[in-house]
Amino acid sequence: MLRRRKTTTREPTIALINVVFLMLVFFMVTGQIAPTLDSALTLVRTDALDGRAPPDTLVIRADGTLRFRGDAVASASDFADGLPERARAAIRVVPDRDLPAVDLVRIATELRGAGADRVLVVTERDLQ
């Protein structure tokens, strides 16, 4: 009696790897990842610009004091009460970087309690 050989069924993973590799090479050759900038182009430098808050925002300093257009404001609710009704739809605040988050939340809650529909926090965008 002869013994039958065990037939092993191999999975076609090598073929799959080859197909994926060929697709990768194809897309690398035919595709362009990002267009290059013109070599004669000189980009604008913004590191020397003076940063300042937009004129119609409530500025919150690191110690929690409030200022609007350079003038001191007693409280967030006094600030919101002095605004016209349409200006209360969205109040913009510019907090100092060192202001504790607890104080920012407290002031935003006080503005919402005084009639602000939305409180928008203005921040600096860093493109590095």
Side-chain angles (χ1 to χ4, degrees):
M1 295 205 123
L2 293 174
R3 272 187 149 176
R4 275 196 171 169
R5 283 190 180 171
K6 287 185 180 180
T7 58
T8 58
T9 57
R10 294 179 12 176
E11 294 185 27
T13 56
I14 298 296
L16 180 63
I17 291 172
N18 288 339
V19 169
V20 171
F21 179 71
L22 288 174
M23 287 176 58
L24 176 67
V25 170
F26 173 77
F27 287 118
M28 285 176 54
V29 169
T30 61
Q32 182 177 0
I33 294 177
T36 58
L37 289 176
D38 186 7
S39 61
L41 180 69
T42 305
L43 295 176
V44 176
R45 298 202 51 164
T46 59
D47 56 351
L49 290 178
D50 180 29
R52 59 182 100 116
D56 292 331
T57 58
L58 179 65
V59 177
I60 309 170
R61 292 186 173 172
D63 60 356
T65 57
L66 306 174
R67 300 189 72 74
F68 180 69
R69 295 184 179 166
D71 298 328
V73 178
S75 70
S77 59
D78 290 343
F79 171 74
D81 290 339
L83 292 175
E85 188 66 33
R86 65 179 176 80
R88 290 185 199 170
I91 296 179
R92 289 176 169 75
V93 296
V94 179
D96 189 276
R97 178 177 295 178
D98 297 327
L99 179 72
V102 174
D103 292 340
L104 179 60
V105 171
R106 178 186 50 80
I107 292 170
T109 304
E110 189 175 342
L111 287 169
R112 290 291 306 246
D117 294 334
R118 294 186 309 162
V119 177
L120 305 172
V121 178
V122 179
T123 62
E124 176 183 36
R125 174 181 251 179
D126 188 10
L127 296 177
Q128 293 179 353

